[in-house]
């Protein structure tokens, strides 16, 4: 569980500046005819660039990270994003961050259940791995044998944006993401507060967290007159208590995330629990194989983009441990009741010192029109990304 103190430890040497980044081309090749005539028929081409700058001046670190994507007309994926613009002051036991920042909470593989601080970047991908920067003040305190305490104060809420209409995969009905509905009259400037305590005892790593503020997961409400197909995004004020737990023993990892949330309809609980076992030197080679199995339950009684109400994830992770860092991760997320399934395979490999090639294949199987994945049932695709680092 990484803290701001650990990040500060790898900052540039005093007085030094560091600029690194990458440029990439990405193509998505779709295997089937789209459901909507407004969506691209077979392909989606784009170019992306990102850069990270850091400079250390005594105990102060200045850092910035920017991202930009230029996409084909009609795909609605083109955007620019400041993921970080941060001033960090770090001492022996305390670190203070002020500015736009990206943080991560959680331990499970298939779902980042308690990860509530940053908004997801759905223009990049719907898997939730990419995030929008969040304006915050973050104080991290090393309390010695009692672990780490993080205190966060945030504002300038970031509403979701969707590649609806022209994007693929994308929503098949108009999602009016430029007309958000807020419970709080202060709307985007409503203050959010959060706290997290992380600790390690013997074979256990765990964290307790609390969040009070605007939900990053909006409820979907009909726009206009009854029968309208357009949707508005409604952002409630919520209180969320979260738990992260990881247990390590030999080649076994046990993982769990749980939460209780109030304020977004009836109070509900959600849980993701599972394990990962690594087979070191599998098949008598240098390769390692990880076996993953996780179950997700979600008791919410509201209409959101949640697809994890009663789902089982099974997957494999292959690391060849070669000089090119070749890795392959594959798995399937299946709804236990309906059988709706999302299958994903991701592979990456370095080429030389400055290039990487990444492949992502996704397959959708859905006959249940109440499941969010039903929108993507014809969007099976292969994504290829070639990236150059500088």
């Amino acid at each position: 569980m990484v803290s701001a103190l650990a990040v500060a430890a790898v900052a540039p040497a005093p007085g030094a500046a560091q600029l690194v980044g990458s440029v990439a081309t990405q193509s998505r090749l779709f295997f089937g005819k789209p459901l909507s005539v407004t969506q691209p028929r077979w392909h989606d081409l784009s170019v992306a660039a990102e850069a990270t700058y850091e400079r250390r001046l005594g105990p102060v670190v200045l850092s910035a990270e920017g991202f930009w994507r230029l996409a084909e007309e009609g795909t609605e994926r083109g955007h620019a994003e400041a993921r970080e613009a941060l001033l960090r002051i770090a001492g022996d036991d305390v670190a203070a961050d002020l500015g736009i920042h990206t943080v991560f909470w959680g331990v499970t593989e298939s779902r980042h259940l308690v990860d509530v601080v940053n908004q997801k970047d759905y223009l990049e991908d719907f898997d939730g791995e990419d995030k929008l920067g969040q304006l915050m003040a973050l104080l991290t305190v090393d309390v010695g044998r009692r672990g780490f305490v993080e205190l966060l104060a945030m504002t300038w809420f970031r509403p979701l944006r969707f590649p609806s209409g022209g994007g693929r995969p994308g929503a098949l009905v108009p999602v009016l993401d430029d007309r958000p509905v807020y419970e709080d009259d202060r709307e985007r400037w409503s203050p959010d507060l959060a706290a997290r305590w992380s600790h390690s005892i013997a074979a256990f790593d765990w964290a307790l967290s609390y969040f009070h503020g605007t939900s990053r997961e909006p409820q979907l409400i009909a726009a206009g007159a009854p029968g309208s197909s357009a949707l508005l995004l409604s952002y409630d004020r919520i209180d969320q208590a979260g738990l992260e737990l990881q247990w390590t023993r030999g080649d076994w990892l046990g993982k769990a995330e749980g939460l209780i949330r109030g304020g977004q309809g009836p109070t509900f609980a959600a849980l993701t629990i599972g394990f990962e076992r690594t087979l070191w030197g599998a098949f008598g080679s240098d390769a390692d194989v990880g076996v993953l199995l996780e179950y997700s339950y979600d008791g919410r009684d509201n209409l959101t983009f949640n697809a994890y109400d009663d789902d089982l994830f099974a997957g494999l992770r292959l690391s060849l441990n070669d000089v090119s860092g070749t890795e392959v991760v594959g798995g399937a997320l299946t709804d236990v009741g309906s059988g709706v399934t999302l299958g994903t395979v991701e592979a990456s490999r370095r080429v030389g010192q400055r290039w990487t090639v990444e492949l992502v294949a996704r397959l959708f199987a859905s006959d249940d029109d109440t499941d969010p994945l039903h929108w993507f049932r014809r969007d099976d695709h292969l994504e290829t990304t070639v990236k150059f680092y500088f």
Side-chain angles (χ1 to χ4, degrees), residues 106-121:
V107 294
T108 54
E109 181 77 20
S110 59
R111 184 186 189 190
H112 306 314
L113 180 62
V114 304
D115 195 24
V116 71
V117 173
N118 289 86
Q119 183 61 276
K120 298 177 179 65
D121 187 353

Side-chain angles (χ1 to χ4, degrees), residues 115-130:
D115 195 24
V116 71
V117 173
N118 289 86
Q119 183 61 276
K120 298 177 179 65
D121 187 353
Y122 278 171
L123 293 181
E124 271 303 287
D125 211 334
F126 67 89
D127 60 4
E129 297 294 334
D130 300 285

Side-chain angles (χ1 to χ4, degrees), residues 119-120 122 157-164 171 173-183 187 214-224 229-236 264 303-305 375:
Q119 183 61 276
K120 298 177 179 65
Y122 278 171
F157 173 76
R158 309 293 305 279
L160 282 173
R161 293 180 61 197
F162 290 86
S164 59
V173 299
V175 178
L176 308 181
D177 53 15
D178 59 343
R179 294 165 51 187
V181 178
Y182 295 99
E183 179 182 351
E187 298 184 339
T214 301
S215 174
R216 276 50 176 165
E217 297 178 304
Q219 295 198 70
L220 310 179
I221 59 176
S229 61
L231 296 173
L232 292 173
L233 305 181
S234 177
Y235 295 94
D236 304 290
Q264 196 176 36
L303 184 57
T304 65
F305 290 101
W375 277 349

Side-chain angles (χ1 to χ4, degrees), residues 272-332:
T272 298
I273 188 170
F275 71 87
E276 177 177 350
R277 186 186 180 191
T278 301
L279 307 175
W280 310 103
F283 316 117
S285 68
D286 294 330
D288 301 327
V289 176
V291 181
L292 305 107
L293 186 66
E294 293 180 353
Y295 171 75
S296 290
Y297 165 80
D298 198 303
R300 73 184 67 194
D301 186 20
N302 54 43
L303 184 57
T304 65
F305 290 101
N306 172 53
Y308 296 88
D309 57 338
D310 183 22
D311 292 73
L312 187 67
F313 172 80
L316 294 173
R317 178 186 288 111
L318 172 65
S319 299
L320 295 186
N321 294 321
D322 57 354
V323 294
S324 298
T326 306
E327 291 189 352
V328 181
V329 180

Side-chain angles (χ1 to χ4, degrees), residues 143-193:
V143 289
R145 295 183 178 180
R146 295 180 178 86
F148 292 89
V149 173
E150 298 165 272
L151 304 175
L152 301 88
M154 297 159 282
T155 189
W156 187 54
F157 173 76
R158 309 293 305 279
L160 282 173
R161 293 180 61 197
F162 290 86
S164 59
R168 189 178 186 197
L172 297 180
V173 299
V175 178
L176 308 181
D177 53 15
D178 59 343
R179 294 165 51 187
V181 178
Y182 295 99
E183 179 182 351
D184 194 292
D185 293 339
R186 291 166 290 187
E187 298 184 339
R188 295 186 66 181
W189 296 103
S190 179
D192 301 338
L193 300 173

